[in-house]
Amino acid sequence: MNIEEALIKDSIKSIAELFGAEVTANQLQFQKTKKEFDGNITLVVFPLLKITKKNPELSGQEIGNWLKNNSTLVNDFNVVKGFLNLVLSNAIWLESFNAVLKTDDFGFNSVPSGKTYMVEYSSPNTNKPLHLGHLRNIFLGYSVAEILKANGHKVVKTQIINDRGIHICKSMLAWQKFGNGETPDSSGLKGDHLIGKYYVKFDQVYKEQIAELISNGKSQEEAEKEAPIILEAREMLLQWEAKDPTVYSLWKTMNDWVYEGFNATYKTMNVDFDTLYYESDTYIYGKDIVEEGLKKGSFYQKEDGSVWCDLSSDKMDDKLVLRADGTSVYMTQDIGTAIERFKDYPDLSGLIYTVGNEQNHHFKVLFSILRKLGYSWAEECYHLSYGMVELPEGKMKSREGTVVDADDLMSSIVNDAKEMTQERGHIDSLSETERETLYSTIGLGGLKYYLLKVDPKSKMMFDPKESIDLNGNTGPFIQYTYARIKSVMRNCENLPLICDNNMDLQEIEIEIIQHILDFPSVINKAGSDFTPAVIANYSYELVKLYNSFYQSVSILKEENQNLQDFRILLSKSVGEIIEKGMKLLGVNVPERM
RNA sequence: GGGCCAGUAGCUCAGCUGGAUAGAGCACCUCCCUUCUAAGGAGGCGGUCAAAGGUUCGAAUCCUUUCUGGCUCACCA
């Protein structure tokens, strides 16, 4: 039983004895006592006035008195307006802290939930390199997957790779026409960047041709449709679908280059996937489902032969699921892919899609259709929707060249971390390799933390200058505290296992214990709300408390052995929680920095 | 036009199942290294929580209206 549960129990008893009334746990509102008042936990008495039939002040006094005399938890109390501030005994805090020390993997749910979730993230197009928007997506998806694991779920990480379609043909065609056989090896470019170069090249030529056609009297629309290079690209798409050997082998070669490039980027990011889905495989899924749905009456057919789903029960417009010519639309694929995934992983409970909020409506429709088709797991599908990343100068626009490339950003941020670490770090004892690792731990940690500390749902501002900042609410700030704790541990001769239950504690020490005790519920909330941001904010608060403690009391120089043991253990415990919290964000922590 | 989301300090963000005088960081201004890592700490400055109504003991939080911004309402993906 945790402290709040015990307090609720005692409070229920107090009200029964004092006022002869039964209250339920949710009528008792406990909150952390505000800094400016004495106490640790506060009972808000306003909701109880109907029962006490006395004014707030008096009600608080009576309940406080009863608790002080009858509850082993409560040492003292004071009442301010309608707030009953309770001072709990040191022993309670120390007992709870000792319980934390004895818990394996404190904060993580050790009981398997029996559920498996598939988390989809990244899911890039194979025609250009990853950019800043992907970074938010990837860090978010990875982190949520880790958080779900910490909540006792099994997780399968995946992506759907958009490897076919007209956009892929564009870069293939441009390479064929203008590439002179250039390869990643011959050019020294990463595969994804090489392909991206030809995608841009295509667009240039296309624009030139459009301009020329317009100057010859065509309308914008006509010109866009009739430019020779776009006609060639469309032709190539047809050849690809017919599995033309030349086109197909070119496609394979170029995609392999891209994958090699992506894999290098994922490695730098330190993220991974358990299984991959390729759109070139999955685009044919879904048609059979539509047939079935039509038979079952979940869908209907129009006169032209196109198939639709009636979503009026969910207050949405009807959705096309198959064109009149029998070809698939995006939705058809998504329906098929979802069902296919449940076939591949029969014990799956639900799917989490990490996709930008411009597709909110799409996923609402998708889940609605899946429900209509009778799949009960549709209830456990979730669109992990995130807001756009904006730059100080506005939105990223590829046409205006304001796209922030993922590889460039990561390497420049690691480089910044390097400079700052060389300036002020404690790195004398580190080898060259260890230093390089440290730079990337700090740089990438800072970047990930920056992108994850904001609630996923809201759009966010990415200021490159601020993202490499080391002070305040940042990754390096948290990493620094961890390194400090590690340093204390290195200087400490024997590590105690458990601490005494009877000693005087500083206010700040109690606050830290109190914060530590919140860790499990924070992980729980992060998991049920799919938001790493609460882990980031929690960790930041913990670190601030610890830094304040570190500054105001001495740990290893404390002469009272019991107190010293306690402070060492408190430090150790904070360090472990930082490490776990950061791990859930995909952020590494350094032994020294 | 319909739907969804957002608007909190100069800037970036917490807080939103209603609770005390609305919190952090950055920036700006003071202090603190003979102490276990100063990438730190202590303090100051800074707010009509977009606006107006309503609900109530109590509203940044819930409801209504308005304003502003974003996304969306494709036989694109």
Side-chain angles (χ1 to χ4, degrees):
Chain A
M1 179 153 46
N2 67 35
I3 290 180
E4 188 167 326
E5 284 165 2
L7 266 178
I8 288 173
K9 216 178 120 199
D10 287 353
S11 306
I12 289 176
K13 230 188 276 177
S14 81
I15 290 165
E17 284 201 16
L18 289 168
F19 308 106
E22 297 222 350
V23 290
T24 55
N26 51 16
Q27 281 174 276
L28 296 168
Q29 271 185 53
F30 282 101
Q31 60 188 43
K32 227 169 243 186
T33 305
K34 291 226 165 199
K35 250 194 252 157
E36 54 268 45
F37 304 105
D38 281 338
N40 317 116
I41 296 186
T42 296
L43 176 68
V44 185
V45 300
F46 295 105
L48 303 170
L49 298 183
K50 280 182 199 135
I51 292 164
T52 66
K53 303 207 170 78
K54 294 183 177 167
N55 70 43
E57 186 84 17
L58 203 57
S59 308
Q61 289 289 348
E62 290 188 9
I63 297 168
N65 241 320
W66 193 96
L67 287 173
K68 187 178 173 181
N69 293 328
N70 298 284
S71 168
T72 51
L73 301 148
V74 178
N75 247 17
D76 206 354
F77 73 96
N78 62 82
V79 180
V80 181
K81 296 187 204 165
F83 298 88
L84 170 58
N85 302 319
L86 301 171
V87 181
L88 305 198
S89 71
N90 287 335
I92 287 299
W93 295 119
L94 288 164
E95 272 170 35
S96 303
F97 179 57
N98 271 321
V100 169
L101 294 176
K102 280 185 242 163
T103 309
D104 285 335
D105 232 355
F106 171 71
F108 286 37
N109 198 338
S110 51
V111 188
S113 69
K115 290 185 171 181
T116 304
Y117 291 96
M118 184 177 271
V119 179
E120 176 193 297
Y121 64 99
S122 188
S123 303
N125 288 352
T126 57
N127 62 340
K128 52 192 166 197
L130 304 176
H131 58 71
L132 177 55
H134 291 108
L135 289 180
R136 190 176 195 192
N137 178 308
I138 293 167
F139 295 154
L140 185 58
Y142 176 87
S143 176
V144 165
E146 294 301 312
I147 290 167
L148 290 175
K149 285 187 200 167
N151 278 283
H153 307 305
K154 282 192 191 164
V155 171
V156 181
K157 300 177 190 172
T158 192
Q159 43 179 329
I160 177 100
I161 299 169
N162 195 341
D163 62 346
R164 56 154 222 127
I166 189 75
H167 49 290
I168 312 296
C169 291
K170 288 178 181 177
S171 31
M172 282 161 62
L173 185 67
W175 182 85
Q176 211 174 38
K177 290 175 101 68
F178 312 109
N180 298 317
E182 194 177 34
T183 67
D185 281 340
S186 76
S187 66
L189 282 174
K190 257 178 98 230
D192 49 337
H193 288 262
L194 180 71
I195 301 304
K197 177 176 151 188
Y198 287 100
Y199 187 70
V200 171
K201 178 74 184 169
F202 175 94
D203 207 50
Q204 280 171 1
V205 175
Y206 185 33
K207 274 193 187 127
E208 284 165 18
Q209 292 183 353
I210 290 172
E212 199 184 324
L213 286 171
I214 289 176
S215 72
N216 290 339
K218 297 275 187 188
S219 73
Q220 175 80 28
E221 206 175 322
E222 286 170 332
E224 279 174 15
K225 276 189 189 152
E226 293 170 19
I229 196 160
I230 193 75
L231 294 178
E232 274 185 86
R234 288 194 195 290
E235 174 61 26
M236 192 178 236
L237 182 60
L238 290 176
Q239 289 171 337
W240 180 86
E241 286 187 359
K243 294 208 156 77
D244 173 279
T246 319
V247 172
Y248 219 72
S249 91
L250 174 64
W251 173 74
K252 281 203 159 142
T253 306
M254 292 181 71
N255 270 344
D256 283 345
W257 291 347
V258 171
Y259 298 143
E260 214 171 295
F262 284 169
N263 286 339
T265 305
Y266 293 142
K267 201 176 167 205
T268 309
M269 290 177 175
N270 205 6
V271 299
D272 57 359
F273 300 91
D274 300 307
T275 184
L276 301 176
Y277 286 84
Y278 296 88
E279 210 184 86
S280 52
D281 296 326
T282 64
Y283 82 106
I284 44 171
Y285 299 159
K287 286 194 194 184
D288 294 345
I289 306 292
V290 172
E291 286 298 321
E292 265 175 56
L294 200 52
K295 274 188 206 139
K296 280 197 299 187
S298 308
F299 301 145
Y300 70 92
Q301 197 156 26
K302 286 192 178 171
E303 275 179 18
D304 65 358
S306 58
V307 181
W308 297 72
C309 184
D310 177 356
L311 298 173
S312 54
S313 58
D314 283 336
K315 290 176 186 162
M316 289 185 284
D317 292 338
D318 291 9
K319 177 70 194 176
L320 177 92
V321 289
L322 206 60
R323 294 187 186 104
D325 65 3
T327 55
S328 307
V329 290
Y330 185 45
M331 190 57 79
T332 325
Q333 285 176 44
D334 266 10
I335 297 166
T337 308
I339 292 164
E340 197 67 20
R341 285 169 168 174
F342 277 82
K343 281 188 194 150
D344 294 347
Y345 294 86
D347 53 352
L348 220 53
S349 298
L351 297 171
I352 317 295
Y353 295 87
T354 313
V355 180
N357 64 7
E358 69 273 12
Q359 293 196 38
N360 283 355
H361 186 252
H362 173 79
F363 282 100
K364 231 176 120 185
V365 172
L366 173 64
F367 299 156
S368 173
I369 291 176
L370 290 171
R371 275 196 302 271
K372 279 232 145 48
L373 288 170
Y375 295 101
S376 57
W377 45 259
E379 302 299 335
E380 291 219 53
C381 287
Y382 182 77
H383 175 204
L384 175 49
S385 165
Y386 61 91
M388 197 178 311
V389 183
E390 289 173 8
L391 300 168
E393 56 270 26
K395 283 187 206 171
M396 284 198 292
K397 284 182 182 151
S398 47
R399 286 177 201 162
E400 288 161 28
T402 54
V403 174
V404 177
D405 179 78
D407 292 317
D408 292 350
L409 178 60
M410 288 193 290
S411 75
S412 87
I413 227 158
V414 168
N415 197 50
D416 290 333
K418 177 178 178 175
E419 282 174 15
M420 297 200 214
T421 303
Q422 285 172 341
E423 210 175 289
R424 57 182 117 180
H426 304 73
I427 54 172
D428 292 345
S429 63
L430 299 184
S431 71
E432 199 46 46
T433 347
E434 286 170 330
R435 289 180 194 196
E436 291 301 325
T437 307
L438 177 62
Y439 305 147
S440 96
T441 297
I442 295 173
L444 270 165
L447 182 60
K448 287 185 184 180
Y449 186 87
Y450 187 91
L451 290 171
L452 291 175
K453 73 177 176 184
V454 179
D455 186 76
K457 283 191 281 296
S458 42
K459 67 174 167 29
M460 67 175 294
M461 175 66 64
F462 182 84
D463 188 338
K465 286 197 288 284
E466 204 182 297
S467 68
I468 54 153
D469 205 329
L470 309 166
N471 309 310
N473 190 357
T474 65
F477 172 82
I478 291 170
Q479 290 170 324
Y480 177 72
T481 305
Y482 180 82
R484 262 179 157 182
I485 290 172
K486 279 295 175 181
S487 173
V488 173
M489 293 303 142
R490 280 192 297 273
N491 290 321
C492 147
E493 280 157 18
N494 3 312
L495 198 65
L497 293 171
I498 201 142
C499 59
D500 195 73
N501 275 348
N502 185 16
M503 58 183 113
D504 280 340
L505 298 178
Q506 309 277 328
E507 201 59 39
I508 185 73
E509 291 167 333
I510 294 174
E511 282 182 65
I512 293 174
I513 294 175
Q514 209 171 352
H515 200 68
I516 286 174
L517 295 174
D518 283 342
F519 190 46
S521 69
V522 168
I523 289 187
N524 190 278
K525 184 177 165 55
S528 51
D529 295 356
F530 302 97
T531 166
V534 303
I535 305 268
N537 291 329
Y538 169 86
S539 305
Y540 175 58
E541 288 300 326
L542 179 67
V543 162
K544 273 202 299 186
L545 289 172
Y546 184 82
N547 281 337
S548 177
F549 157 82
Y550 182 92
Q551 199 78 21
S552 60
V553 305
S554 77
I555 301 165
L556 300 175
K557 292 202 169 70
E558 171 58 47
E559 286 172 9
N560 178 321
Q561 191 59 45
N562 279 346
L563 261 182
Q564 192 194 87
D565 286 354
F566 163 69
R567 287 176 185 163
I568 291 168
L569 287 167
L570 189 66
S571 303
K572 178 169 168 268
S573 191
V574 168
E576 285 169 0
I577 292 178
I578 293 173
E579 186 177 15
K580 284 184 202 165
M582 289 303 102
K583 200 171 163 82
L584 293 179
L585 303 183
V587 173
N588 291 332
V589 284
E591 293 294 307
R592 46 188 107 216
M593 70 186 272

